[in-house]
């Protein structure tokens, strides 16, 4: 099993040409800005991409990237379990842009919301709905309690069930043709 290497933004910027960059965020997040040359393989599609990633790792080192670094660490762990070495970008694209490094944005695509922003919106909306409905129908306030409890659990375990659900929305799913093209490019 391989231990993932963690690269800081300034270090990765100087060595980016040595890596095949894999962005494991949702397609909407990827379209909002990604490292130059990055390929988009959402985290929940990583297992299907293992053959292509194995071939890519034979040609160059892999650098896994997400928004904050959490999903890319998970991706590195999954790859390590499959015997594929990979590095992670510490702090993700957030740290990358904070250090002034360029990102590429899709011209024809409207920038999507980050998964964190989607979760905040959904959780906040559910809490407000639970409180508003609770003024007429008291049991509806339990919705707010359940969402609040879920957020606490999410923070304690560093997982997010709501993000997993939101990732299944059409705007957060890759088009099959896009994912196939990415896997073809990596498999060559």
């Amino acid at each position: 099993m391989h231990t993932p290497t963690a690269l800081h933004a300034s270090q990765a910027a100087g060595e980016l040409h040595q890596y095949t960059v894999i962005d494991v965020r949702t397609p909407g997040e990827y379209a909002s800005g990604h490292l130059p040359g990055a390929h988009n393989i959402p985290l929940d599609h990583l297992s299907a991409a293992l053959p292509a990633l194995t071939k890519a790792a034979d040609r160059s080192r892999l650098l896994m990237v997400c928004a904050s670094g959490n999903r890319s660490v998970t991706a590195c762990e999954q790859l390590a379990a499959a015997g594929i070495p990979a590095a992670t970008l510490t702090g993700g694209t957030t740290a990358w842009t904070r250090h002034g490094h360029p990102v590429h944005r899709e011209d024809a695509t409207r920038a999507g919301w980050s998964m964190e922003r989607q979760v905040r919106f959904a959780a906040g909306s559910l809490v407000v709905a639970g409180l508003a409905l609770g003024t007429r129908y008291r049991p509806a306030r339990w919705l707010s309690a359940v969402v609040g409890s879920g957020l606490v659990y999410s923070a304690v375990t560093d997982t997010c069930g709501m993000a997993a659900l939101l990732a299944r929305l059409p705007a957060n799913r890759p088009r099959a043709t896009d994912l196939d093209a990415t896997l073809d490019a990596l498999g060559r």
Side-chain angles (χ1 to χ4, degrees):
M1 188 144 166
H2 303 278
T3 303
T5 304
L7 297 178
H8 293 281
S10 55
Q11 181 183 6
E15 301 175 6
L16 198 59
H17 64 282
Q18 298 175 18
Y19 287 91
T20 298
V21 181
I22 307 296
D23 193 318
V24 296
R25 297 177 298 159
T26 66
E29 292 175 293
Y30 173 82
S32 69
H34 54 270
L35 273 66
H39 300 277
N40 184 222
I41 302 176
L43 185 59
D44 59 343
H45 287 79
L46 202 62
S47 59
L50 288 177
L53 291 171
T54 299
K55 289 179 182 176
D58 289 342
R59 289 190 307 276
S60 69
R61 298 185 289 178
L62 298 179
L63 177 62
M64 310 308 285
V65 179
C66 67
S68 66
N70 291 334
R71 286 178 278 180
S72 61
V73 167
T74 301
C76 285
E77 290 168 355
Q78 288 180 16
L79 292 175
I84 304 170
T88 182
L89 179 62
T90 303
T93 54
T94 303
W96 180 265
T97 56
R98 187 176 37 233
H99 284 88
H101 301 298
V103 293
H104 180 261
R105 288 182 172 79
E106 304 297 322
D107 294 330
T109 308
R110 196 180 107 217
W113 284 5
S114 71
M115 187 56 65
E116 178 191 1
R117 185 176 180 190
Q118 292 179 51
V119 168
R120 289 190 323 245
F121 180 79
S125 297
L126 289 170
V127 168
V128 169
L131 291 173
L133 290 171
T135 61
R136 292 202 158 249
Y137 182 67
R138 285 182 73 75
R141 290 191 281 176
W142 281 104
L143 177 61
S144 299
V146 169
V147 172
S149 298
L151 291 171
V152 169
Y153 178 80
S154 175
V156 170
T157 62
D158 199 23
T159 61
C160 188
M162 188 176 288
L165 289 173
L166 291 171
R168 297 186 192 307
L169 292 175
N172 291 325
R173 306 292 299 167
R175 293 187 315 223
T177 54
D178 293 343
L179 186 58
D180 290 342
T182 298
L183 297 178
D184 286 345
L186 291 173
R188 291 187 183 129

